[in-house]
Amino acid sequence: AESLAEAGASVRTGVSVERLARPAPDGPVTLTLDDEVPAVVDEVLFATGRAPRTEDIGLDTVGLKPGNWLSVDDSCRASTPPCPGR
């Protein structure tokens, strides 16, 4: 969020979009938000929070805590701690 704001983007968090409209394909987007502050913008980036879904995949059998994020290397392989016997 900080990087986007530094680049000039308006970052709004904790609000919900009630309505979004772009009447013309090359025109601005008009947002109606639940905080009643309208926004007219060029583009919209919408993101939601994420949570790990690792509760029931057997992480405890390799020394990891179920429900936590996994540390991965550049090839997206779990990187720490190593599996027992490797």
Side-chain angles (χ1 to χ4, degrees), residues 49-75:
R50 298 181 349 177
R53 299 198 53 176
T54 60
E55 313 76 34
D56 59 356
I57 62 171
L59 290 180
D60 53 327
T61 66
V62 294
L64 298 172
K65 184 177 178 184
N68 279 358
W69 292 99
L70 297 174
S71 296
V72 296
D73 62 16
D74 290 339
S75 63

Side-chain angles (χ1 to χ4, degrees), residues 10-18 31-37 39 45-48:
S10 173
V11 178
R12 304 280 304 271
T13 60
V15 296
S16 294
V17 176
E18 293 184 350
L31 298 166
T32 303
L33 306 173
D34 65 352
D35 66 359
E36 300 182 11
V37 177
L45 172 66
F46 182 81
T48 61

Side-chain angles (χ1 to χ4, degrees), residues 73-85:
D73 62 16
D74 290 339
S75 63
C76 290
R77 291 184 297 180
S79 57
T80 56
C83 293

